[in-house]
Each structure stands twice: as structure tokens, then as C-alpha cells.
Amino acid sequence: MTKEIYENPDLKKERQNCPFNKEEITNFLDGGKEKTTERRQLETYILSDEQLKDAVPMEYLSHADKYAEELRKSCLLMHKLADSPAGQVQTLRALMGAGLGSAILKEGNPIALHYVMFIPALMGQGTVEQQAKWLEKAYNLNIIGTYAQTELGHGTFLRGLETKATYDPVTKEFVLESPSLTAYKWWPGSLGKTANYAVVMAQLYTKGKCEGIHPFMVQLRDEETHEPLPGILVGEIGPKLGMNTNDNGYLGFDKVRIPREQLLMKHSQVLEDGTYVKPTNSKLSYGTMVFVRVVVCQDVTVNLRKAVTIATRYSCVRRQSELKPGDREPQVMDYQAQQHKLLPPLAATFGFQLAADHLWNLYNTANNSMEQGDMELLPDLHGLSCALKALCSSEAANFVETCRQSCGGHGYMSCSNFPRIYGQVTAAITYEGENTVLWLQVARYLVKTRKEKSGGLSVKYLIDEEKGPRTVDTTPEGIVKLYRRVAVGLVDIAIAELENNSRKGYAPHDAWNHAAVHLIKAAQAHARLFVVESFVDSLKGSRLSAPVRAILSQLCELFIIYWILDRSGDFFLCANLKKEDLLQLNSKYVQLLAAIRPQAVNIVDSFDLRDEILGSPLGCWDGNVYQRLFDEAAKSPLNQKNVHESFHKYLKPLLKSNL
Ligand SMILES: CCCCCCCCCCCCCCCCCCCCCCCCCCC/C=C/C(=O)SCCNC(=O)CCNC(=O)[C@H](O)C(C)(C)COP(=O)(O)OP(=O)(O)OC[C@H]1O[C@@H](n2cnc3c(N)ncnc32)[C@H](O)[C@@H]1OP(=O)(O)O
Ligand SMILES: Cc1cc2nc3c(=O)[nH]c(=O)nc-3n(C[C@H](O)[C@H](O)[C@H](O)COP(=O)(O)OP(=O)(O)OC[C@H]3O[C@@H](n4cnc5c(N)ncnc54)[C@H](O)[C@@H]3O)c2cc1C
């Protein structure tokens, strides 16, 4: 006899008569049918391993036990690499990020930094000889590394880092020093307890001159005993809002000597006599950060997909209040207000992914040409990676919080998985360049391009300005033009503010600081334009069936109108938008909410996120929400006995004390 599989009747109904092929969307998001098959095989391979399952939910473990447990599973995963059906690099990519990896390593992977930053730093900053020396060991996990840049006193302002690496031509060594408390490295992931090596960013001094920050390969711990080496002061920084098993750490140097060859010398060198050889571009040593900014855009998008899937399924299971007097309580998803909360983030997942795909392609093209010595694409890559990292992380964090709120009280439970998802996404606002600082970097590029009439592909619109009548057309192509006008208009307003400040007598740096609000708005408009353009163009250029194209086009339209309604002031100011246009967009928006609503569950199903990856009783495929919430509560240590021992110790004496 086959066992009947439970499916909540409301979800079952949502799934009936789906007008499009869900699998086609899944393949579109995965990058092809073969990639979907490969991903599924990999997921089955990893998730069927009993040893990778948690005995108790992580929340009930101590800080140290959580770390030990995640490290155990992380090491086990590495042992599974060799037999993976998906190939090693694909498997690593899946295990490090918010997808498959998060089903096993819920609070952060203690060896993530090794793959996300240490190996990329060796590849991007090391010479061929240096790569030959360390890369294989790193690939084989004979050594585990991290990327140690941020200090207690400085994270953003890299020129202000204090760690010193002074070249001694007599011994042909660098001497590493932390000259103050604020010079201690503080924050690097995996540094606390896991890593035994690090790429350390330090101010390079040679022949009495500081040449700026450079990457050094440094051994931190003994390869056998794991004890810190002499002069290395290392530890963990303690609990955080999220990502608690990434063992972020601190690190100080007390005159630690390393051979000259441990300066990573792909871009700049120190010769034996101490002569410094400059790089072709002084920002090449920042390359590892650029790589991570690019992959973070993909990662926060996967996290957002998880949040939207949980909230959408739950909203179709949850029935609350009264819509039509006397009728059965409706699914909360039927409230327009709920659709307004959930459908824009649902649409955003597609817009962000398509933009992130463009950025990934630019990264690869730019990297290939930089390998040949051509730096032309670097400014555009820097500008776009900062813009998208800042936009995707901040929008995703807001959307994840909205998803949580949309689930009412149950969204506040740890087991809903919203706290963890939020903890990870909001961290991306800060790490790899705090977003405000990145917006200002973008603004610098935009202002320069507009003034000098020269810049890369992503800012061409600031040079070749649109001609013709400035009418308002509300087709998707017409809407892209409105975004373009807003981006140009806000850059011009920021430039006018800068010039105004100069006329007032401000020095250039003060003029810049006093224009920051306008500069940031301009940078954000530029980033939004890129996402909107990517969304519209990608759908135009893709080979999709008519039903899939229809639903994705509706999502695209909803999304690009949503942002206009959210920032209509900018569109009135810069894009000639009139009251009647706004009212028309408003009614189109609510029509789209109603049109997409019946397919919401089918769309999130097409993300093909397994229950283990969602990690939430609210979002499971079967919609058995209430039973699963009860099952989770049963795991609480407070429910293992009817009367907890603390009752006898504290409460009973109080109850008997006749206060
Ligand atoms: C056997 C087989 C095995 C195979 C194994 C293979 C393995 C391969 C690997 C596979 C696995 C891959 C992994 C993929 C993972 C996928 C999932 C990923 C999930 C990710 C999340 C998980 C983990 C979490 C990780 C978190 C880690 C966090 C790390 C960090 O935070 S590190 C620290 C980051 N810090 C910062 O970002 C600091 C921010 N500050 C700055 O960047 C700078 O100071 C500044 C830009 C703000 C200002 O700098 P500066 O003052 O020096 O410069 P300015 O004067 O302002 O500008 C001058 C000038 O320079 C230009 N410029 C600035 N920066 C750059 C740049 N980066 N690039 C280019 N140009 C730059 C700027 O525009 C100015 O130009 P101009 O003068 O105007 O022309
Ligand atoms: C989870 C997590 C993981 C991390 N992992 C690593 C890692 O592996 N390796 C590593 O080296 N580092 C890591 N970091 C550190 C991270 O890169 C820094 O925290 C980040 O770059 C911000 O720097 P800061 O902390 O010095 O913030 P600050 O720069 O001190 O920011 C404080 C405030 O000042 C504002 N501000 C600063 N400068 C300006 C400016 N020029 N104009 C306007 N406003 C400004 C900011 O916007 C912010 O509001 C990690 C951080 C986190 C949270």
C-alpha cells in the first residue's frame, strides 16, 4: 500500500490548473535543463546523508557547541566533494552560499572564507610561483585560510589600516606589527578558531616609505597542533546578530617575520634590495573584494527567494479575519494588502537574478582582459559591482523583513527561519563595503562620467543622452526610459549641488560631503535603472514559451511600476511624470497584483527549493504548518519534563514566601 502524501487543501487548489510549465522557469533560473538535473542530483547526494542531519535544533546549543557541530558537518561535506555528482567547483559554489549549503550549515560555514576569499585572493593576487606553492595545498585543504583586512579601528577607510609590514633587506623578510589596539584585525570570518593561514592586508613599508596596503600570505597556527605561532595573537570576537558559526576573529602581530616571497606579488613587487615595483593600477589589490561583491548579489537573491517562498506558501495556508461578512475566513493572500507585501519581493527575485547574471558576465570579461594587462573595464566593473551589491543587499533585507511581518506571530519564531535569513542578508549590507560608502563610490563614477563625457558601458546613458519629446509612455520599454531620465536627472541635481557648494566657498571634499544625500540618491537611481533594464531586456532576448513569458512579463511590469510608486517624487522631478500618469500606473499596479495572485504559489514552487533548504515549518511544500509548528515546539528543552527544576529552586520559594 502506498502512503498518502499530505498536502494542505488550499495549497493543492493553488497548484491546480497552473497555466505555465513550472519546470521551464526552474530551468530558466538554473541556466538550463542540464543544470537543473545536476543541481537536483547534488541536493539528493548531500541531503540524503544521515550524518549531516541535526540531532537538535541549533538554537538550543551553546555558542561553542554550535561552532563544533557546524565544523563537524562542514568537514564531512568536504569529504563528500570527491564523489559529488556535480563536479567539485559546482559543489563548492552550492555549499558556500544560501542554497544547498544553508540546509546543512544553518548558522554559517566555518570554512566559507577559505573558498569565498582566501583562494580567490591567492588566485587574484599571487604570482604563478606563489600559486604553485599554496593553491594546491589550499584546494586539498592541507591549509585553511581567511582574508584578514578589517581592523578594530578601520573597515571602510583602507588607507587608514594600521597593520605594518616593514621590509628588512638584511634578512629579506617582512616584519608584521600591530602598533596599537585599533590595529588588531577584527571581523575576518573563520579567523577565530578555524583558519591556520590568512591573506593579511597590511601597509607595506620599504626603504622608509609607505607604499599602501598590500596582501601578505601569513601562517597563523601550527599545522599539527593548531597552536598560534609565536607573535600571533588570535581569537574569536563573540556572538553576533547572525552567522554565528562563521567564527569571526581578531588577530594581532608582535613582530612576526615572514619571508619576502610571502608578499603576494602578482601586481606589485618588492625586490630583494627593497626596491618597490608599482602595480599598473593601484586598486588591483582590492580585487578580492570586487569578486565577493559580485557573488553576494547572487547570494542575497537566493536568500530572498527562500523568504518569499516561505511567506507565500504560509499566506495561502493561513486563514484569518473576515473579508465578506458571513463567509469563511479567507486565505490571507487574498487581501490586497498582503499581495502588496509579497508580490513585489517575488518579482524582485527575478530582477535581481537577471541583473546579477549580467554583472557576473561583466566580471568574467573584465577579468580576462585584465589578465592580458588591459584595465579598461575595471572602473565599470567597480562601479557596477558596488551599485548592485548595495542595491540587492539593502532591498533584499527590507523585503525579507516584510516577508517575516507578513507571517504575523509565527514569522517571529526562530524556526520560521526568518531570523537566520535576515541575519545573513542584513550582514551583506555591512560586509564587503558598507553600503553608504559603496553608494558614494558609485556616485563618484557617475559624476566623473557625466562631467568628462567618458565612461564604461553601464554609464553610457549619461553621455549619449536621449533625444526627442519627453512624453510618458507606460509600456515596459517606455518605463525604462523614465528610469533613465530619473538617473540622468538625479546625477545633474547632485552635480548642481556640488557646484553650488563650491560657489559657497567649500573646499572640494566639503562640497562633496554636503552633497552626499543627492549623490546617494543618484547612485541608487543608477542601480535601479540597471536592474530594470536587465529585467526588461533579458525577457525580450530569451526563448521562453508564451505562458512563461506572460507570467514573467507581468512580474516585470509589476516590479518596475512598484519602484516608481515608491519613489514617485523623483519621477515627477526628473521624468515629466504627471498626476494622471501616476494614477494610471497605480491602477495598473493593483490590476497586476490581482492578475499574479492566483499564480503566486506556482511561481514560488518553480524556485524548486527543497524543504530542507527553506528550513521552515511555515514554508514547507505540503503546507502542514500547524502540525510542524507543534513538532518544533516539542523539541524545546523546556518541554522535556512537565515541571522544570527551576520551579523548585526559584518559583516555589517565591510562591510560598507570602511577600
Ligand atoms: C581540486 C579542485 C578544487 C577546486 C577549488 C576551486 C575553488 C574556487 C572557489 C570556488 C568557490 C567559489 C565561491 C563562490 C561562493 C558563492 C556564494 C557566496 C556567498 C557569499 C556569502 C558567504 C560568506 C560571507 C562572507 C563575508 C565576507 C566578508 C568579507 C569582508 O567584509 S572583507 C572586507 C571588505 N572591506 C571593504 O569592502 C572595505 C570598503 N572600502 C573600500 O573598498 C575602499 O576603501 C573605498 C573604495 C571605500 C575607498 O578606497 P580609497 O580611499 O583607497 O579610494 P578612493 O580614494 O576613494 O578612490 C580612489 C579611486 O579608486 C577607485 N577604486 C576604489 N576601489 C576600487 C576597486 N575595488 N576596484 C577598482 N577601482 C577602485 C575609485 O573608483 C577611485 O577612482 P577614481 O580616482 O575616481 O578614478
Ligand atoms: C558578518 C561580517 C563578516 C565580515 N567578514 C569580514 C572578513 O571576512 N574579513 C574582513 O576583513 N572584514 C570582514 N568584515 C568587516 C566589514 O568588511 C566591515 O565591517 C565593513 O567594511 C564596514 O567597515 P566598518 O565596520 O569599519 O564600518 P565604518 O566604516 O566604521 O562605518 C560606520 C558608519 O560610518 C559611515 N561611514 C564610514 N565612512 C564613510 C564615508 N566616507 N562617508 C559616509 N559615511 C561613512 C558608514 O556608512 C556607517 O554608517 C565583516 C563584517 C561583518 C558584519
Side-chain angles (χ1 to χ4, degrees), residues 113 117 146-150 154-156 186-189 243 248 427 430-434 436-437 440:
L113 259 285
M117 295 201 82
T146 181
Y147 182 82
Q149 179 175 288
T150 306
H154 290 95
T156 293
W186 191 274
W187 267 118
M243 304 178 69
N248 298 77
T430 305
Y431 68 57
E432 224 53 75
E434 199 281 326
T436 302
V437 171
L440 290 168

Side-chain angles (χ1 to χ4, degrees), residues 340 483 557-572 577 581-590 593:
H340 177 51
Y483 275 86
E557 233 183 319
L558 178 93
F559 187 56
I560 64 185
I561 295 176
Y562 169 80
W563 266 348
I564 297 187
L565 300 180
D566 198 38
R567 309 210 144 202
S568 52
D570 295 341
F571 288 79
F572 279 115
L577 199 77
D581 303 317
L582 193 68
L583 292 174
Q584 194 194 337
L585 288 171
N586 248 323
S587 50
K588 208 163 188 179
Y589 176 74
V590 292
L593 289 180

Side-chain angles (χ1 to χ4, degrees), residues 315-369:
S315 297
C316 290
V317 169
R318 185 71 166 174
R319 287 179 172 272
Q320 189 87 240
S321 308
E322 205 178 46
L323 192 53
K324 189 170 163 207
D327 258 13
R328 187 180 175 198
E329 288 179 274
Q331 294 163 285
V332 293
M333 195 68 185
D334 283 334
Y335 293 111
Q336 190 185 69
Q338 189 80 351
Q339 295 157 21
H340 177 51
K341 284 178 204 164
L342 295 183
L343 299 185
L346 173 62
T349 62
F350 289 92
F352 292 169
Q353 163 142 359
L354 295 168
D357 288 349
H358 274 124
L359 176 61
W360 179 244
N361 293 338
L362 171 65
Y363 176 79
N364 285 311
T365 314
N367 231 23
N368 288 340
S369 48

Side-chain angles (χ1 to χ4, degrees), residues 33 111 251 260 289 318 367 381 388 476 597 609 620:
K33 207 175 160 135
I111 59 173
L251 172 65
R260 180 186 69 94
M289 289 182 282
R318 185 71 166 174
N367 231 23
L381 175 63
L388 286 189
R597 151 69 188 100
L609 292 164
C620 282

